[in-house]
Amino acid sequence: MEPWEPSSFAWRADVTDWEVSSLHAAAFRHDQELEPWAARLHQHSLGWVTARRGDSLVGFCNVVTDGGRHAFLVDTAVHPDHQGSGVGRELVHRAVQECRASPAQWLHVDFEADVGPFYLADGLFRPTAAGIVKL
């Protein structure tokens, strides 16, 4: 892997449905399905952070909102070729920074136990009890 280019992160940068769908499929190891990401982002999101290497989208995280005090960090994804390089950490740090400049007062994140250390590192998030059900 070549050195990471730190200047390639952006808040609310344009993305295509194809590139976010491709990244999501690679990061979460599932079959690729084209999803309407751009429409969803503009309808439901406070913002999103992108990480690019050249023209390629290699990282993404989305901050959805209830329109008031609460925001939710979802869909944090880093291409497998860039996992472990600090891209994910920078995505989350930038999302938190942007949320602090917004009307939101709380940023929530749910995660599986194996990625808990990632989200709880740096003191950004504190552990809480939460629940989830697959629909």
Side-chain angles (χ1 to χ4, degrees):
M1 175 175 25
E2 296 176 28
W4 177 247
E5 304 163 9
S7 62
S8 57
F9 291 88
W11 176 248
R12 295 186 63 90
D14 289 337
V15 293
T16 68
D17 294 343
W18 182 86
E19 66 185 347
V20 181
S21 294
S22 296
L23 173 63
H24 200 273
F28 294 104
R29 294 169 178 82
H30 62 76
D31 292 337
Q32 182 173 334
E33 294 180 27
L34 186 61
E35 297 193 38
W37 284 98
R40 285 183 196 157
L41 294 173
H42 291 287
Q43 185 174 2
H44 302 290
S45 297
L46 179 66
W48 54 95
V49 183
T50 56
R52 292 188 179 276
R53 182 157 194 215
D55 291 334
S56 298
L57 184 69
V58 298
F60 173 84
C61 71
N62 185 13
V63 180
V64 296
T65 181
D66 68 350
R69 295 181 181 156
H70 298 271
F72 305 83
L73 185 64
V74 296
D75 294 311
T76 303
V78 176
H79 191 280
D81 293 346
H82 297 277
Q83 291 175 0
S85 68
V87 173
R89 185 170 309 284
E90 187 65 21
L91 289 168
V92 172
H93 276 266
R94 289 185 184 229
V96 169
Q97 179 181 9
E98 293 291 344
C99 287
R100 286 186 172 135
S102 79
Q105 296 175 5
W106 295 97
L107 179 60
H108 305 258
V109 64
D110 289 328
F111 48 82
E112 294 188 26
D114 62 326
V115 294
F118 170 80
Y119 285 105
L120 299 176
D122 302 331
L124 291 177
F125 294 94
R126 62 180 171 82
T128 62
I132 189 169
V133 63
K134 182 170 174 45
L135 302 175

